[in-house]
Amino acid sequence: MVENKKILTIQDISCYGQCSITVALPIVSAFGIETAILPSAVLSTHTAGFTDFTVRDLTEDLPEIRKHWEKEEIYFDAIYTGFIASIEQLDYIKDIIDSRLKPGGLVFVDPAMADYGEFYNGFDQEFADKMGELCKLGDFILPNTTEACYILHKPWKEEFTRDEMLEMAKELADFTKRHVILKGDANEEGKLGMIVLDKQESTVEIVYNDKIDYVSHGTGDVFASSFVGSTMIGKTPTSAAKIAGEFTKCAIEKTVGDETHAYGVKFEQVILDLNELIESF
């Protein structure tokens, strides 16, 4: 019998908009992994491109959910965090990791708080510093360059040299137990790269995928979720980054040209291709 692995993902539910839990739940599940959810908030839509959206903060629910899980003796093989709704939630999430993660379990932290040189609505440097503390519990952290700069207190710019990217990844090693997956290397023409650093093995690799000139909300969630799923089925971090990058690229390709679909990418139309990608890498 195949081991039934269970993963908990902690992030918001945007009821419409293809991001966060509505991306993580189907993608991680597609790898054959039982996926439980802990919503940090419920939004009518995500916050990019929509106005007058509703938000229900679920901070007060988190410790009560943890207590119930303790009573029921519910544990997880991995915990994967994404968009966190408030700075107060970060301490509650640390408690959940400490109490609900199985011995030897993995922690994935996607510090979803900023992009293109700016914080998402409602976040600031204090939040970034607290997020840096959460990252230190992670076996894998998956920041983009903006998030990395805020964690490291560095100025952001649109393009970083290869050496600057590598230096940033090495500095981020202080904010993870083992692995850094730094997204956003654009030093190879027509390609988009991810730096994969293993601090225990002292190795650094760069993984490239074809770059698609299209900007959309939710691609980071698609990448992180497929990376988590790939890792949980035994892929190396480098292979997982290749699978995640290719899957995200394919989802973007399905979306380009549809002017009515600027709020996300059509990952559902390529989710059945995951098995082929898994076998390829």
Side-chain angles (χ1 to χ4, degrees), residues 1-176:
M1 181 180 294
V2 177
E3 180 185 0
N4 182 37
K5 292 185 178 180
K6 298 181 177 69
I7 187 169
L8 170 66
T9 186
I10 308 173
Q11 45 192 312
D12 74 285
I13 294 176
S14 288
C15 298
Y16 186 82
Q18 291 175 307
C19 69
S20 302
I21 282 177
T22 58
V23 165
L25 179 57
I27 291 177
V28 178
S29 297
F31 285 87
I33 300 162
E34 182 178 337
T35 308
I37 65 170
L38 181 54
S40 59
V42 178
L43 295 82
S44 54
T45 67
H46 62 64
T47 61
F50 295 101
T51 58
D52 301 323
F53 46 83
T54 66
V55 181
R56 170 102 32 203
D57 187 304
L58 298 180
T59 299
E60 294 182 0
D61 295 87
L62 300 190
E64 297 305 313
I65 292 171
R66 175 184 60 79
K67 289 177 184 177
H68 183 223
W69 286 347
E70 288 177 348
K71 178 183 176 183
E72 298 293 335
E73 298 184 350
I74 295 171
Y75 295 92
F76 301 98
D77 298 284
I79 295 177
Y80 156 34
T81 70
F83 184 95
I84 307 305
S86 68
I87 197 168
E88 293 80 12
Q89 289 186 357
L90 294 170
D91 284 330
Y92 289 143
I93 291 169
K94 290 179 184 178
D95 290 339
I96 291 167
I97 291 172
D98 288 340
S99 67
R100 299 298 91 206
L101 186 66
K102 291 180 181 179
L106 297 175
V107 176
F108 300 82
V109 179
D110 179 7
M113 60 183 175
D115 209 351
Y116 299 107
E118 296 183 356
F119 280 111
Y120 296 152
N121 184 41
F123 295 148
D124 56 19
Q125 187 60 53
E126 182 183 6
F127 184 90
D129 292 341
K130 196 78 171 178
M131 178 61 78
E133 295 177 16
L134 180 65
C135 285
K136 291 179 180 180
L137 300 180
D139 298 279
F140 299 85
I141 62 171
L142 298 98
N144 60 38
T145 57
T146 302
E147 291 154 350
C149 285
Y150 281 127
I151 290 171
L152 297 172
H153 288 251
K154 286 179 171 289
W156 180 83
K157 55 186 181 179
E158 289 190 11
E159 294 184 6
F160 291 89
T161 66
R162 175 71 44 72
D163 287 343
E164 289 171 335
M165 290 288 296
L166 292 170
E167 181 62 29
M168 195 162 15
K170 291 175 182 177
E171 291 182 37
L172 286 167
D174 291 335
F175 291 87
T176 181

Side-chain angles (χ1 to χ4, degrees), residues 208-210 241-251 253 277 281:
Y208 288 106
N209 294 98
D210 291 338
K242 290 178 180 178
I243 292 167
E246 189 67 20
F247 180 67
T248 305
K249 185 207 75 170
C250 291
E253 287 177 330
L277 288 176
F281 299 104

